[in-house]
Amino acid sequence: KYGDCNVPQDWNENPQLGHWVNTQRNQYRLYQVGKKSPMTEERIQALENIGFSYMWQQRFNELKEYRERYGNCNVPQKYAGN
C-alpha cells in the first residue's frame, strides 16, 4: 500500500506494527555496538530482503550527536559532519 517499510512508531493504523518496527531498529543498534540483543544476522538479512532500512535510526543518532556537541538541532543544510 505504501511502498516502503518506514512505519512510524506512533502509526495510528497499526500501533503494534509501529512499535515492533521501532523495536527492530533499537535491537539492530544494540547489536551493532555489541550489546545484548535478540537481533541476529539472519533477522537483519530477512528485514533487509523486504526493504527494511536502518537509515532513519542512523540519522537520528547523528542528530543526537550533533545536539550533544552544539546544544541544538539546527543542523545547517551543508553540514560537513554528514
Side-chain angles (χ1 to χ4, degrees):
K1 182 176 177 179
Y2 296 100
D4 62 46
C5 295
N6 299 325
V7 181
Q9 183 177 355
D10 58 352
W11 190 38
N12 291 333
E13 286 186 44
N14 190 338
Q16 295 85 1
L17 179 60
H19 178 74
W20 183 85
V21 167
N22 187 60
T23 298
Q24 302 316 299
R25 289 190 175 112
N26 287 331
Q27 292 303 322
Y28 174 79
R29 180 181 49 80
L30 293 173
Y31 179 82
Q32 291 300 100
V33 297
K35 293 188 177 178
K36 185 176 178 180
S37 169
M39 186 59 69
T40 64
E41 288 296 325
E42 292 78 19
R43 288 182 180 186
I44 292 168
Q45 189 61 51
L47 289 166
E48 289 176 353
N49 285 345
I50 62 166
F52 192 84
S53 172
Y54 303 96
M55 184 56 67
W56 185 91
Q57 185 67 43
Q58 237 178 334
R59 293 294 185 208
F60 179 72
N61 290 337
E62 290 173 7
L63 178 60
K64 286 188 341 187
E65 289 173 13
Y66 182 93
R67 184 171 186 258
E68 288 172 13
R69 184 172 184 182
Y70 297 103
N72 64 60
C73 293
N74 302 323
V75 183
Q77 188 172 7
K78 294 185 179 185
Y79 176 60
N82 288 359

